[in-house]
Amino acid sequence: MTAPAVTPTAAQTRLRVDGINTYYGDSHVLRDVSLHIGAGETVALLGRNGVGKTTTLKSIVGWLKPRTGSVTLDGEELVGCEMMAIARKGISLVPEERRIFTNLTVAENLKLAQVTAQKPGWTLDHVYEKFPRLRERLTHKGDEISGGEKQMLAIARALVQDVKVLLLDEPTEGLAPLIVREVENVIREIKSAGITTLLVEQNLYSALAVADRCYIIDQGEIKFEGTPAQVRTDEDLRRRYLHV
Amino acid sequence: MEALFQAMIGGLVLGLIYVAIAVGLTIIFGTLRLVNFAHGAFYAIGAYVGLVIAQHIGVGWAFVAAPIAVALFAVLLDRLVLRLFYDKEPTAQLLVTFGIALVVEETLRLIFGATTQQYAMPASLQGSVTLGPITYPAYRLLFAGGVIVMLALVWLFIERTNYGLIVRAGIRDRIMVQLLGGNIHQASTIVFALGAAIAGLVGAAATPIYSIDPATGFAFLVPSFVVVVVGGLGSFWGAVLGGLLIGELQSLTNLAYAPASNVVIYLCMALVLLLRPQGLLGESEVIRQ
Ligand SMILES: Nc1ncnc2c1ncn2[C@@H]1O[C@H](COP(=O)(O)OP(=O)(O)O)[C@@H](O)[C@H]1O
Ligand SMILES: [Mg+2]
């Protein structure tokens, strides 16, 4: 079923997070977190609620600054760069709350991402082909569309830019089962398009179905690195770090 | 009847000044989250720059120099002072912009003296126009038309350009704009300069109608804040509606019972705040940080 895991060599590594420690004020949230993603890989970051998944993503995109450690994209250091600069280098975060601009229409949300892109990614036609529901909602304001449509729009907004690494924060969270299925299909499309992706999920089976490799994080520390098959078969691991 | 008509056109002209100042206040608040008490000072600086240029070079150049000078002043102010206060609490921003307004007022008093000044319009614009039952100074009508055209251009900039798109997105969510690679700092500077330029231009253009003294900045700022509150903080059309409403209200009350003409706008504000706290066209939704 699953392809054998490939551990990328240094030359293939696209994004490398190396021993970062991130704090909220005095509260030490990430402890020596390290992970790496090879070009074209889909990597899942799994863990319970409140263990530091979102904080890891925020530390990568410059939303939070790790006190120590390093984050590199194709070997280039990102810690200390501004959020805008990191985005322009090609790292795109689709945040947990989606953050659709509710005062703009669906079309304007996409247009904005095109306007702020350093390099164009998917064309609008390509987007509408993959997200047919968005085409029907183009003139609707961002607060007039469903949760599933917001998630689709948030992902589409990232893809109209030339993405080197896509960071998806719980894309299936809060969606109806049928819509979860649609989002999973979209993630599969992204994977087959060869886009390097870090997928944060609490929805274990959703993530295991698509990931090449996965990490498990607990209380701000990476506890496991391996294949989806390993996670599927190791019940003890799942009980300790994943099951609620 | 004629007096009423006269007062209504007077209210329109006054209201348009409020609209222009309030639009600047409201887009600056929306984009920078800054309550700018120095905005009246922009009006005053524009008026004095206009005065000097009009007297020494020509009225036409006054209308060019005033908005440019005020926009440059605003950008410097933003870079040197306000930037330090972006992340501070609103009270600190309020105090620093209020302080800047006082410094500007006293500086103008030092340079130009406390007396009221005005510059004369060139003869070609001094005529009157007959409008139905009344005759009205041509310049005031030209001024009103000019402000309307300027506001239309500002609206087009915000609603129809790529820059405007970044500005509107930033009004809702500055973080997400940056996550998409948008330059929110540049957009903020442009909005601040634009709001300042509008106030400066209107200050220069209104001086032949309303004379200027160093305190004029505050004199226009306070009703303009009322306009922003009545119309709805952050709303362009709210500023337009609120400005025209307050201008007319003030002008008509002045006709009916002059001593009440200042107090009536605060009554209007209190009424709006009671019935619709977000303002006439404001959104009740909490704007994201
Ligand atoms: N803005 C914040 N201020 C202080 N603590 C925070 C903040 N955001 C998250 N935390 C804390 O950091 C820890 C990790 O949070 P987060 O990365 O959001 O978890 P996850 O995404 O895995 O659910 C949690 O204990 C949470 O309470
Ligand atoms: Mg999270």
Side-chain angles (χ1 to χ4, degrees):
Chain A
M1 269 286 291
T2 44
V6 246
T7 302
T9 65
Q12 292 173 299
T13 301
R14 174 127 288 174
L15 184 78
R16 179 179 291 280
V17 174
D18 197 7
I20 58 170
N21 286 275
T22 303
Y23 295 70
Y24 288 106
D26 287 336
S27 152
H28 191 172
V29 174
L30 294 187
R31 296 166 185 273
D32 290 322
V33 166
S34 297
L35 53 86
H36 57 90
I37 308 169
E41 252 193 324
T42 300
V43 171
L45 177 61
L46 308 169
R48 291 194 184 103
N49 209 359
V51 295
K53 303 183 297 297
T54 298
T55 306
T56 303
L57 298 185
K58 286 184 174 177
S59 303
I60 294 172
V61 298
W63 191 339
L64 293 171
K65 187 168 181 262
R67 262 191 218 172
T68 59
S70 118
V71 177
T72 52
L73 175 70
D74 293 329
E76 188 187 352
E77 182 60 53
L78 300 180
V79 173
C81 292
E82 279 190 42
M83 243 190 292
M84 173 189 78
I86 293 174
R88 289 184 171 192
K89 290 178 201 293
I91 298 192
S92 195
L93 171 64
V94 178
E96 212 170 353
E97 319 90 320
R98 279 72 143 161
R99 289 188 172 242
I100 298 304
F101 299 103
T102 50
N103 58 336
L104 306 183
T105 63
V106 169
E108 285 173 330
N109 269 275
L110 291 170
K111 176 81 197 280
L112 175 79
Q114 290 182 311
V115 165
T116 55
Q118 285 303 95
K119 273 195 265 166
W122 287 13
T123 62
L124 287 183
D125 282 340
H126 192 175
V127 166
Y128 299 149
E129 186 195 320
K130 300 297 177 195
F131 305 88
R133 297 163 65 103
L134 288 184
R135 196 208 299 265
E136 294 155 27
R137 292 281 182 270
L138 286 180
T139 56
H140 287 67
K141 284 271 163 71
D143 53 3
E144 296 166 354
I145 59 178
S146 70
E149 287 160 351
K150 280 186 184 152
Q151 185 61 66
M152 302 290 182
L153 177 56
I155 296 175
R157 203 168 52 174
L159 294 176
V160 298
Q161 305 195 335
D162 180 37
V163 189
K164 278 192 179 155
V165 180
L166 182 64
L167 311 176
L168 296 174
D169 197 351
E170 307 216 23
T172 63
E173 186 191 19
L175 300 181
L178 218 64
I179 313 293
V180 168
R181 211 69 40 76
E182 274 186 51
V183 172
E184 285 171 359
N185 286 336
V186 164
I187 294 170
R188 230 165 267 129
E189 293 269 3
I190 291 169
K191 182 184 163 88
S192 59
I195 295 172
T196 309
T197 304
L198 178 59
L199 172 64
V200 162
E201 267 296 357
Q202 282 196 63
N203 186 341
L204 183 60
Y205 296 96
S206 189
L208 293 183
V210 63
D212 298 314
R213 284 189 305 120
C214 49
Y215 292 90
I216 295 176
I217 181 170
D218 193 51
Q219 297 186 358
E221 289 179 35
I222 299 285
K223 303 287 190 183
F224 170 85
E225 175 187 356
T227 64
Q230 282 171 288
V231 179
R232 261 197 222 98
T233 49
D234 190 342
E235 205 192 318
D236 184 47
L237 182 76
R238 291 205 305 276
R239 205 172 33 239
R240 228 176 327 151
Y241 299 125
L242 298 173
H243 289 170
V244 213
Chain B
M1 185 60 208
E2 284 171 29
L4 184 68
F5 200 52
Q6 198 99 26
M8 281 175 68
I9 299 187
L12 175 71
V13 171
L14 181 63
L16 283 169
I17 297 180
Y18 292 159
V19 172
I21 299 175
V23 159
L25 279 173
T26 227
I27 59 175
I28 287 171
F29 174 80
T31 313
L32 289 78
R33 290 287 172 280
L34 177 77
V35 178
N36 183 24
F37 271 82
H39 213 70
F42 294 160
Y43 178 98
I45 295 172
Y48 276 103
V49 169
L51 186 79
V52 171
I53 303 284
Q55 283 168 349
H56 292 95
I57 303 175
V59 171
W61 287 108
F63 291 4
V64 177
I68 292 176
V70 176
L72 288 177
F73 175 72
V75 170
L76 275 181
L77 199 64
D78 183 49
R79 285 283 148 83
L80 300 178
V81 186
L82 296 181
R83 187 140 293 191
L84 306 173
F85 289 84
Y86 278 177
D87 302 324
K88 299 276 164 34
E89 64 272 36
T91 333
Q93 297 183 345
L94 201 142
L95 287 174
V96 73
T97 56
F98 196 80
I100 291 165
L102 289 176
V103 169
V104 168
E105 180 175 335
E106 291 309 319
T107 308
L108 290 173
R109 190 164 285 136
L110 272 178
I111 302 175
F112 297 98
T115 49
T116 300
Q117 303 199 48
Q118 198 160 23
Y119 62 87
M121 289 314 302
S124 57
L125 291 174
Q126 278 176 357
S128 295
V129 179
T130 307
L131 275 178
I134 61 156
T135 56
Y136 206 77
Y139 180 73
R140 296 192 179 203
L141 296 175
L142 199 64
F143 172 84
V147 173
I148 290 170
V149 168
M150 179 189 71
L151 289 169
L153 290 175
V154 171
W155 185 86
L156 284 174
F157 170 75
I158 295 174
E159 293 293 325
R160 293 282 180 270
T161 65
N162 288 347
Y163 248 110
L165 188 59
I166 297 177
V167 169
R168 282 185 293 145
I171 285 174
R172 191 51 45 99
D173 191 340
R174 293 172 69 87
I175 298 256
M176 195 63 226
V177 169
Q178 295 172 78
L179 287 174
L180 290 169
N183 194 338
I184 197 72
H185 301 301
Q186 193 183 53
S188 300
T189 303
I190 287 174
V191 164
F192 196 60
L194 177 68
I198 295 169
L201 177 57
V202 169
T207 303
I209 306 174
Y210 299 94
S211 55
I212 179 90
D213 69 66
T216 304
F218 274 112
F220 275 106
L221 178 74
V222 176
S224 299
F225 263 118
V226 172
V227 164
V228 170
V229 172
V230 166
L233 201 55
S235 162
F236 180 90
W237 290 111
V240 173
L241 180 65
L244 296 178
L245 186 71
I246 295 293
E248 288 296 348
L249 200 60
Q250 221 174 353
S251 188
L252 293 176
T253 314
N254 191 45
L255 180 69
Y257 181 62
S261 68
N262 275 324
V263 97
V264 71
I265 67 172
Y266 302 106
L267 287 177
C268 175
M269 177 170 78
L271 199 67
V272 168
L273 283 177
L274 275 176
L275 299 177
R276 213 180 138 75
Q278 71 269 36
L280 295 175
L281 298 182
E283 297 176 46
S284 49
E285 157 181 12
V286 180
I287 298 176
R288 220 181 216 163
Q289 125 85 8

